[in-house]
Amino acid sequence: RAAAHLDIDDLALIGSPGTGADTAAALGTPARVWAARGADDWVAEVPHVRTDLFGVTVGFGTDPVSPAFGAHVFAAGRGGHSDYFSPGSVSLTNLARIVLGDTAEVTRA
C-alpha cells in the first residue's frame, strides 16, 4: 500500500508471502519491483491466495517470485527466512547491487 507513495527507483521484496496485489504493476509504483526467496525459506509453503471471509479480505495473494506477479526475480541463495542479510550471502550481494543501481550485475534466479 505504501509503494505508490514512495519516491524510489527500486523496490525489493525478499521472503515475501505476497503483497495483497495481484501483480507488480498493481502496486502502483513507477519503481522497478524485484523479488527473491531463499531456497530454504519456509514462506514458500504459505498458500499464495487471497479471499474474502465474512467481509474481510484474508491472505497475501500472488507469490511475488512467480512469473504471474511480474517482478524482476533475483537469486537469493540457499538461505532461509532469517538469512537474507547474512554477510557474504547471495541475497545481500544482490540487494547491495540493487541499492547501488548496479542492476545489470544482479544475478537472476
Side-chain angles (χ1 to χ4, degrees):
R1 293 180 183 159
H5 307 289
L6 299 174
D7 184 20
I8 56 175
D9 294 323
D10 295 280
L11 173 66
L13 307 169
I14 53 172
S16 175
T19 65
D22 292 329
T23 64
L27 292 173
T29 178
R32 279 176 297 219
V33 179
W34 299 84
R37 180 177 305 120
D40 292 332
D41 191 336
W42 58 265
V43 168
E45 305 303 321
V46 172
H48 300 288
V49 297
R50 188 178 55 192
T51 189
D52 289 324
L53 183 64
F54 306 111
V56 176
T57 302
V58 295
F60 298 106
T62 307
D63 184 353
V65 297
S66 75
F69 189 72
H72 299 276
V73 179
F74 65 95
R78 300 258 349 125
H81 196 69
S82 298
D83 299 322
Y84 292 105
F85 298 102
S86 294
S89 66
V90 172
S91 55
L92 185 58
T93 298
N94 279 323
L95 286 166
R97 289 172 175 155
I98 292 167
V99 168
L100 293 171
D102 295 333
T103 57
E105 300 299 316
V106 173
T107 55
R108 305 302 172 119

